[in-house]
Amino acid sequence: MYSVVEIAGFQYKVRPGDMLDVQKLDIEAGKDTTFTKVFFIGGENTIVGKPTISGAQVVARVLKHDKADKIRILKRRPGRYAKRKGHRQQFTALLITEVTDGQGKAKKIEASHKLAEKYLK
């Protein structure tokens, strides 16, 4: 079972066991969070929201907050003008632990999954 969910203004296709980096969220590392803006559930039974599916939710564990690799920007003009800039975007790493479809079916991360063994103790 997988779903399309909105997290911090962006839509992601997720399934239990996925790890993804999203825009920085104001949630402590190690805490669980629930996202209720679920637009689509796929798998055995497909459910399409109008615009969202009522009762459906995605549960994720916040693993860490960090900064992405530095992006270097170089601006040049003819002559002696050259300007350098850099940027590091802040992000939050999430581990998707459960997807619920709102009709009583739920899919959880397996305990034997390598990320579950590492982060869910």
Side-chain angles (χ1 to χ4, degrees), residues 5-49:
V5 63
E6 182 180 315
I7 302 172
F10 295 91
Q11 294 179 10
Y12 298 95
K13 177 184 173 186
V14 297
R15 61 179 46 136
D18 284 353
M19 193 167 125
L20 63 137
D21 297 336
V22 298
Q23 294 285 332
K24 186 172 182 203
L25 303 173
D26 292 331
I27 302 168
E28 286 183 43
K31 300 276 184 169
D32 287 341
T33 184
T34 304
F35 302 104
T36 56
K37 281 193 171 182
V38 179
F39 301 113
F40 182 83
I41 300 284
E44 295 174 9
N45 297 328
T46 301
I47 304 169
V48 179

Side-chain angles (χ1 to χ4, degrees), residues 24-101:
K24 186 172 182 203
L25 303 173
D26 292 331
I27 302 168
E28 286 183 43
K31 300 276 184 169
D32 287 341
T33 184
T34 304
F35 302 104
T36 56
K37 281 193 171 182
V38 179
F39 301 113
F40 182 83
I41 300 284
E44 295 174 9
N45 297 328
T46 301
I47 304 169
V48 179
K50 298 177 183 175
T52 61
I53 302 169
S54 63
Q57 63 183 13
V58 173
V59 180
R61 167 84 44 103
V62 176
L63 300 179
K64 66 178 180 176
H65 301 287
D66 204 357
K67 289 184 178 182
D69 293 336
K70 190 164 198 169
I71 298 172
R72 299 188 188 274
I73 302 156
L74 181 64
K75 187 180 197 182
R76 290 184 176 223
R77 299 275 178 165
R80 295 184 180 164
Y81 176 78
K83 189 172 190 177
R84 289 186 199 146
K85 281 188 164 185
H87 176 73
R88 291 186 71 186
Q89 184 69 37
Q90 294 184 349
F91 70 90
T92 299
L94 297 175
L95 174 63
I96 306 301
T97 57
E98 182 180 358
V99 174
T100 306
D101 68 356

